[in-house]
Amino acid sequence: MSWYRNTVWFVKGLREYTRGGYESASKRFNPADVEVDVAGRSFLVTGANSGIGKATAKEIARRGGTVHLVCRNKERAEVAKEEIVTETGNQNIFLHIVDISNPKEIWKFAEKFQNEHKLNVLINNAGCMVNNREVTEDGLEKNFATNTLGTYIMTTALVPLLEKAADARVITVSSGGMLVQKLNVSDLQSESGHFDGTMVYAQNKRQQVVLTEQWAKAHRNIHFSVMHPGWADTPAVRSSMPDFYERMKNSLRTEAQGADTVLWLAVSAEATKLPSGLFFQDRQPVPTHLPLAYTHSPPEDEEKLMEVLEEFSQKFKSASPG
């Protein structure tokens, strides 16, 4: 049924995920939802030096929030920080250099961050789509290490800090590509069969949806959400999906349009009136499965995912310096 899922997803995408889909959906948006002052609130955005992460960080900064940019590349991150400060006039922009594919680095960062800062909102935006199988220095497949394990460790490591905050939120940037994948806990690191980077990425994004649903059940004082930004014109799309980009470039959303729902979930009062754990697109909850796609997974598989990630997490926590 994979051909069916892929076809339905692509046709749905042509209709909803493009710039035209955003322009149509935005007619029902209430601008007042995001016209808010968030001075005094602290936001952490991973992958914040470009694309949707930078667009989100910039809009939060415009609204007075304290923004922590978590980036891998120091040079590009410093340029992004300077741009955000210059354009918004907000001086409360802080930079942290962390490789989200390196679990020991995440633990080291999170433990230091908890001792020095407060946090109201975590935005898990960092991600990658590596099209050929690569293994990190820790022996982890690169997409899994970044998109799934990195997101898991960053979130669980900062949950104790978030639980101390008022109106705490966690937003994870996923993808509509997850609709073509059923959770597969038997091969989390894509070791068997043909390696297809696009499908591995989609599987990671399905895993992020499951993580969000599980976290929402476990941590009632934090509002969790996961979202699809639509198909946006970002550096990541250009580099990871060049054929897709060439075919769709005239229809792609802007970075700001892709970031709109992230911003709405991060700052609006309306977002937290909805239940925790939902999947959003264009400021509204949407189903996490296509009709007849057979992508539902049994509860034991979802529990197994959480168990395996916790095992990895604790292993790297004990190995992290400091």
Side-chain angles (χ1 to χ4, degrees):
M1 293 296 289
S2 61
W3 63 270
Y4 170 82
R5 295 198 297 266
N6 290 344
T7 302
V8 172
W9 171 71
F10 192 75
V11 171
K12 178 182 172 72
L14 287 174
R15 188 174 66 246
E16 296 181 19
Y17 301 163
T18 57
R19 188 186 311 147
Y22 174 83
E23 289 167 353
S24 176
S26 66
K27 292 173 183 174
R28 60 173 166 74
F29 294 173
N30 181 359
D33 285 359
V34 293
E35 289 172 1
V36 294
D37 182 350
V38 291
R41 285 176 65 75
S42 177
F43 300 77
L44 188 156
V45 185
T46 67
N49 65 284
S50 68
I52 288 166
K54 185 172 77 172
T56 301
K58 192 178 292 182
E59 290 305 317
I60 291 169
R62 285 192 212 282
R63 290 157 176 78
T66 296
V67 186
H68 295 273
L69 312 175
V70 174
C71 308
R72 180 172 54 88
N73 184 292
K74 189 171 188 289
E75 190 176 307
R76 290 202 294 265
E78 286 174 344
V79 171
K81 177 186 172 182
E82 185 178 341
E83 180 185 321
I84 292 168
V85 170
T86 301
E87 288 193 23
T88 67
N90 187 337
Q91 300 294 320
N92 293 318
I93 312 299
F94 301 93
L95 187 56
H96 311 272
I97 305 303
V98 185
D99 183 349
I100 302 296
S101 73
N102 185 322
K104 294 190 288 291
E105 267 191 41
I106 301 171
W107 270 119
K108 182 181 178 183
F109 159 75
E111 288 172 352
K112 185 172 187 286
F113 188 89
Q114 288 189 76
N115 292 328
E116 298 176 357
H117 304 282
K118 70 168 193 170
L119 183 63
N120 298 93
V121 181
L122 168 63
I123 298 170
N124 291 309
N125 167 72
C128 70
M129 185 192 294
V130 179
N131 289 310
N132 296 303
R133 193 175 189 275
E134 289 182 24
V135 176
T136 70
E137 63 183 34
D138 296 305
L140 300 168
E141 190 276 316
K142 188 74 174 281
N143 294 291
F144 168 78
T146 307
N147 302 326
T148 302
L149 184 60
T151 298
Y152 178 87
I153 295 177
M154 182 65 78
T155 303
T156 54
L158 293 175
V159 156
L161 188 60
L162 286 160
E163 286 183 330
K164 298 175 186 175
D167 188 16
R169 311 181 188 194
V170 175
I171 299 118
T172 299
V173 179
S174 182
S175 165
M178 69 90 194
L179 291 166
V180 305
Q181 286 285 308
K182 178 180 179 178
L183 178 65
N184 177 11
V185 292
S186 66
D187 187 24
L188 289 175
Q189 300 208 56
S190 309
E191 294 171 288
S192 61
H194 170 69
F195 185 90
D196 181 332
T198 305
M199 288 299 106
V200 171
Y201 177 82
Q203 172 66 209
N204 296 160
K205 295 299 171 176
R206 168 62 70 187
Q207 291 159 5
Q208 290 178 343
V209 169
V210 173
L211 288 179
T212 299
E213 292 168 346
Q214 295 298 312
W215 285 329
K217 293 175 190 173
H219 306 287
R220 302 290 185 176
N221 295 331
I222 302 170
H223 190 271
F224 290 87
S225 55
V226 60
M227 58 78 66
H228 174 38
W231 293 341
D233 186 351
T234 66
V237 167
R238 293 183 182 208
S239 62
S240 299
M241 306 174 70
D243 294 342
F244 172 82
Y245 172 75
E246 281 302 317
R247 189 162 73 248
M248 299 297 298
K249 62 183 178 184
N250 295 325
S251 302
L252 296 177
R253 298 180 177 201
T254 65
E255 292 173 347
Q257 290 170 343
D260 177 81
T261 296
V262 188
L263 177 71
W264 182 81
L265 288 166
V267 306
S268 79
E270 294 303 306
T272 52
K273 291 178 182 176
L274 293 160
S276 182
L278 299 180
F279 180 63
F280 288 82
Q281 178 188 317
D282 291 332
R283 301 193 190 183
Q284 66 179 7
V286 292
T288 55
H289 300 277
L290 293 169
L292 305 177
Y294 303 102
T295 51
H296 292 270
S297 51
E300 54 266 31
D301 282 4
E302 297 180 357
E303 290 164 12
K304 179 68 174 176
L305 174 68
M306 304 305 283
E307 289 169 10
V308 171
L309 293 178
E310 183 60 17
E311 286 171 12
F312 271 123
S313 174
Q314 291 304 317
K315 169 187 166 186
F316 289 113
K317 181 181 183 180
S318 61
S320 69

